[in-house]
Amino acid sequence: MNYKFLDALEVSPVIAAVKDDEGVDACLKSESQVVFILYGDICTIPEIVSKVKAAGKLAVVHLDLIHGLASKNIAADFIKKYTEADGVISTKPTIIHRAKELGMLTVLRVFLIDSMAYENVKTQVTAAKPDVVEVLPGMMPKVIENICKDLPVPVIAGGMIREKEDVMALLKAGVTSVSSTNPEIWFE
């Protein structure tokens, strides 16, 4: 487990998730200690990560959303070799497993769209052994409370989180932190 990551979340439980250059600029002024990078391509991702790192924040790259990277394990190798990223996010357990082998922080992103997806989360976590799981959509406090009880790793809630009250309800449900692309949440 990456204790630097957990310590950063304890200081600031809201993760700034950025999807464009404006988001990066805004998050650098926020209290968020962790930044989820949800955009870029193989030419720009080293510079985006460098900008986040220069601000003293942890940079975690969503591999599935970087243009030019295939959905293969080698994507984790690329991020490790050509950026200063602290970790990666992916929906693919095999990529998470490879990133762990490389010593990176790993976030397995799962979408709870129905009861079958809910039941499959445990299997995915067992296979991938991520450091944390990010559950989307985040606006299901009762369901997420059960996930937090069922999983052996910390849980992050993300997606559709718009207000401070949403953040508080999710923290009360047991999540370690909340990720949001909404800058208003980063500054509350």
Side-chain angles (χ1 to χ4, degrees):
M1 172 52 68
N2 188 312
Y3 294 105
K4 184 178 178 183
F5 178 71
L6 290 179
D7 290 345
L9 294 180
E10 192 172 304
V11 170
S12 177
V14 175
I15 298 169
V18 297
K19 54 188 177 182
D20 53 34
D21 291 336
E22 292 78 21
V24 170
D25 292 340
C27 86
L28 299 181
K29 300 171 192 156
S30 77
E31 292 180 17
S32 295
Q33 297 296 303
V34 178
V35 178
F36 282 1
I37 301 168
L38 310 179
Y39 79 107
D41 58 46
I42 60 172
C43 295
T44 61
I45 197 62
E47 181 181 324
I48 296 166
V49 170
S50 183
K51 193 171 191 179
V52 169
K53 296 294 291 180
K57 299 180 184 290
L58 297 176
V60 184
V61 177
H62 194 319
L63 292 180
D64 305 353
L65 301 178
I66 304 303
H67 297 290
L69 286 181
S71 295
K72 305 282 185 202
N73 295 354
I74 195 74
D77 292 81
F78 176 86
I79 293 297
K80 176 76 173 178
K81 184 173 182 176
Y82 294 105
T83 77
E84 302 170 53
D86 297 287
V88 299
I89 304 166
S90 181
T91 59
K92 296 164 182 62
T94 58
I95 292 176
I96 294 298
H97 186 74
R98 175 61 183 151
K100 277 202 71 89
E101 289 176 343
L102 296 170
M104 302 182 82
L105 166 73
T106 56
V107 179
L108 177 65
R109 181 178 263 194
V110 297
F111 294 93
L112 294 182
I113 57 172
D114 58 22
S115 59
M116 287 178 54
Y118 180 92
E119 293 301 321
N120 194 35
V121 170
K122 289 182 199 175
T123 304
Q124 290 180 338
V125 169
T126 300
K129 297 178 178 46
D131 293 305
V132 295
V133 172
E134 182 183 28
V135 176
L136 284 87
M139 287 315 308
M140 303 180 297
K142 287 184 178 184
V143 173
I144 290 177
E145 181 176 6
N146 290 330
I147 288 278
C148 291
K149 291 176 184 174
D150 289 346
L151 294 181
V153 297
V155 174
I156 296 169
M160 306 303 292
I161 299 162
R162 300 279 181 229
E163 301 173 1
K164 183 178 182 178
E165 292 78 23
D166 299 334
V167 173
M168 300 311 291
L170 289 163
L171 291 171
K172 185 177 179 185
V175 300
T176 301
S177 62
V178 173
S179 70
S180 177
T181 58
N182 182 356
E184 292 175 19
I185 300 294
W186 307 341
F187 292 98
E188 290 187 8

